[in-house]
PDB file of all heavy atoms in Angstrom:
ATOM      1  N   GLU A1042     -23.633  43.455  33.668  1.00 98.00           N
ATOM      2  CA  GLU A1042     -22.804  42.511  33.874  1.00 98.00           C
ATOM      3  C   GLU A1042     -22.278  42.299  35.353  1.00 98.00           C
ATOM      4  O   GLU A1042     -22.267  41.324  36.003  1.00 98.00           O
ATOM      5  CB  GLU A1042     -21.665  42.413  32.966  1.00 98.00           C
ATOM      6  CG  GLU A1042     -20.517  41.202  33.150  1.00 98.00           C
ATOM      7  CD  GLU A1042     -21.353  39.781  33.048  1.00 98.00           C
ATOM      8  OE1 GLU A1042     -22.339  39.774  32.469  1.00 98.00           O
ATOM      9  OE2 GLU A1042     -20.698  38.887  33.429  1.00 98.00           O
ATOM     10  N   VAL A1043     -21.948  43.460  35.860  1.00 98.00           N
ATOM     11  CA  VAL A1043     -21.513  43.656  37.353  1.00 98.00           C
ATOM     12  C   VAL A1043     -22.743  43.278  38.297  1.00 98.00           C
ATOM     13  O   VAL A1043     -22.607  42.629  39.323  1.00 98.00           O
ATOM     14  CB  VAL A1043     -20.964  44.972  37.694  1.00 98.00           C
ATOM     15  CG1 VAL A1043     -20.749  45.092  39.273  1.00 98.00           C
ATOM     16  CG2 VAL A1043     -19.652  45.229  36.955  1.00 98.00           C
ATOM     17  N   ILE A1044     -23.874  43.678  37.882  1.00 98.00           N
ATOM     18  CA  ILE A1044     -25.189  43.404  38.627  1.00 98.00           C
ATOM     19  C   ILE A1044     -25.443  41.839  38.629  1.00 98.00           C
ATOM     20  O   ILE A1044     -25.713  41.348  39.668  1.00 98.00           O
ATOM     21  CB  ILE A1044     -26.253  44.157  37.995  1.00 98.00           C
ATOM     22  CG1 ILE A1044     -26.250  45.657  38.379  1.00 98.00           C
ATOM     23  CG2 ILE A1044     -27.724  43.579  38.649  1.00 98.00           C
ATOM     24  CD1 ILE A1044     -27.151  46.498  37.574  1.00 98.00           C
ATOM     25  N   ARG A1045     -25.191  41.318  37.413  1.00 98.00           N
ATOM     26  CA  ARG A1045     -25.454  39.734  37.366  1.00 98.00           C
ATOM     27  C   ARG A1045     -24.526  39.150  38.274  1.00 98.00           C
ATOM     28  O   ARG A1045     -24.813  38.222  39.029  1.00 98.00           O
ATOM     29  CB  ARG A1045     -25.251  39.362  35.858  1.00 98.00           C
ATOM     30  CG  ARG A1045     -25.526  37.913  35.733  1.00 98.00           C
ATOM     31  CD  ARG A1045     -24.787  37.292  34.488  1.00 98.00           C
ATOM     32  NE  ARG A1045     -23.279  37.368  34.740  1.00 98.00           N
ATOM     33  CZ  ARG A1045     -22.455  36.720  35.445  1.00 98.00           C
ATOM     34  NH1 ARG A1045     -22.966  35.713  36.236  1.00 98.00           N
ATOM     35  NH2 ARG A1045     -21.093  36.924  35.538  1.00 98.00           N
ATOM     36  N   TRP A1046     -23.156  39.489  38.174  1.00 98.00           N
ATOM     37  CA  TRP A1046     -22.180  38.915  39.056  1.00 98.00           C
ATOM     38  C   TRP A1046     -22.481  39.066  40.516  1.00 98.00           C
ATOM     39  O   TRP A1046     -22.318  38.186  41.295  1.00 98.00           O
ATOM     40  CB  TRP A1046     -20.858  39.539  38.604  1.00 98.00           C
ATOM     41  CG  TRP A1046     -19.659  39.146  39.414  1.00 98.00           C
ATOM     42  CD1 TRP A1046     -19.186  37.817  39.344  1.00 98.00           C
ATOM     43  CD2 TRP A1046     -18.864  39.764  40.336  1.00 98.00           C
ATOM     44  NE1 TRP A1046     -17.973  37.733  40.134  1.00 98.00           N
ATOM     45  CE2 TRP A1046     -17.873  38.938  40.753  1.00 98.00           C
ATOM     46  CE3 TRP A1046     -18.845  41.093  40.744  1.00 98.00           C
ATOM     47  CZ2 TRP A1046     -16.813  39.364  41.706  1.00 98.00           C
ATOM     48  CZ3 TRP A1046     -17.910  41.522  41.664  1.00 98.00           C
ATOM     49  CH2 TRP A1046     -16.833  40.657  42.154  1.00 98.00           C
ATOM     50  N   ALA A1047     -22.899  40.293  40.888  1.00 97.00           N
ATOM     51  CA  ALA A1047     -23.163  40.605  42.268  1.00 97.00           C
ATOM     52  C   ALA A1047     -24.316  39.723  42.845  1.00 97.00           C
ATOM     53  O   ALA A1047     -24.183  39.132  43.793  1.00 97.00           O
ATOM     54  CB  ALA A1047     -23.533  42.084  42.399  1.00 97.00           C
ATOM     55  N   PHE A1048     -25.355  39.446  41.891  1.00 97.00           N
ATOM     56  CA  PHE A1048     -26.496  38.811  42.398  1.00 97.00           C
ATOM     57  C   PHE A1048     -26.191  37.257  42.383  1.00 97.00           C
ATOM     58  O   PHE A1048     -26.534  36.580  43.335  1.00 97.00           O
ATOM     59  CB  PHE A1048     -27.754  39.121  41.652  1.00 97.00           C
ATOM     60  CG  PHE A1048     -28.405  40.369  41.930  1.00 97.00           C
ATOM     61  CD1 PHE A1048     -29.153  40.969  40.915  1.00 97.00           C
ATOM     62  CD2 PHE A1048     -28.094  41.087  43.071  1.00 97.00           C
ATOM     63  CE1 PHE A1048     -29.825  42.255  41.236  1.00 97.00           C
ATOM     64  CE2 PHE A1048     -28.740  42.313  43.330  1.00 97.00           C
ATOM     65  CZ  PHE A1048     -29.493  42.826  42.443  1.00 97.00           C
ATOM     66  N   GLU A1049     -25.593  36.751  41.244  1.00 96.00           N
ATOM     67  CA  GLU A1049     -25.448  35.415  41.117  1.00 96.00           C
ATOM     68  C   GLU A1049     -24.206  34.820  41.795  1.00 96.00           C
ATOM     69  O   GLU A1049     -24.343  33.756  42.408  1.00 96.00           O
ATOM     70  CB  GLU A1049     -25.336  35.044  39.611  1.00 96.00           C
ATOM     71  CG  GLU A1049     -26.620  35.064  38.833  1.00 96.00           C
ATOM     72  CD  GLU A1049     -26.464  34.776  37.333  1.00 96.00           C
ATOM     73  OE1 GLU A1049     -25.325  34.464  36.935  1.00 96.00           O
ATOM     74  OE2 GLU A1049     -27.531  34.790  36.711  1.00 96.00           O
ATOM     75  N   ASP A1050     -23.105  35.511  41.855  1.00 96.00           N
ATOM     76  CA  ASP A1050     -21.852  34.938  42.392  1.00 96.00           C
ATOM     77  C   ASP A1050     -21.655  35.484  43.785  1.00 96.00           C
ATOM     78  O   ASP A1050     -21.006  34.651  44.680  1.00 96.00           O
ATOM     79  CB  ASP A1050     -20.687  35.285  41.601  1.00 96.00           C
ATOM     80  CG  ASP A1050     -20.832  34.656  40.036  1.00 96.00           C
ATOM     81  OD1 ASP A1050     -21.853  34.031  39.765  1.00 96.00           O
ATOM     82  OD2 ASP A1050     -19.905  34.832  39.351  1.00 96.00           O
ATOM     83  N   LEU A1051     -21.938  36.611  44.234  1.00 96.00           N
ATOM     84  CA  LEU A1051     -21.616  37.155  45.496  1.00 96.00           C
ATOM     85  C   LEU A1051     -22.940  37.087  46.481  1.00 96.00           C
ATOM     86  O   LEU A1051     -22.721  37.304  47.679  1.00 96.00           O
ATOM     87  CB  LEU A1051     -21.313  38.602  45.405  1.00 96.00           C
ATOM     88  CG  LEU A1051     -20.021  38.916  44.573  1.00 96.00           C
ATOM     89  CD1 LEU A1051     -19.692  40.513  44.551  1.00 96.00           C
ATOM     90  CD2 LEU A1051     -18.889  38.169  44.980  1.00 96.00           C
ATOM     91  N   GLY A1052     -24.059  36.761  45.951  1.00 95.00           N
ATOM     92  CA  GLY A1052     -25.243  36.567  46.785  1.00 95.00           C
ATOM     93  C   GLY A1052     -25.774  37.800  47.271  1.00 95.00           C
ATOM     94  O   GLY A1052     -26.473  38.019  48.330  1.00 95.00           O
ATOM     95  N   VAL A1053     -25.591  39.069  46.634  1.00 97.00           N
ATOM     96  CA  VAL A1053     -26.170  40.364  46.998  1.00 97.00           C
ATOM     97  C   VAL A1053     -27.640  40.075  46.838  1.00 97.00           C
ATOM     98  O   VAL A1053     -28.121  39.590  45.875  1.00 97.00           O
ATOM     99  CB  VAL A1053     -25.648  41.366  46.115  1.00 97.00           C
ATOM    100  CG1 VAL A1053     -26.268  42.696  46.279  1.00 97.00           C
ATOM    101  CG2 VAL A1053     -24.115  41.706  46.305  1.00 97.00           C
TER     102      VAL A1053
END
Side-chain angles (χ1 to χ4, degrees):
E1042 181 59 15
V1043 173
I1044 289 164
R1045 182 208 60 75
W1046 179 66
F1048 287 159
E1049 291 183 357
D1050 296 5
L1051 300 181
V1053 171

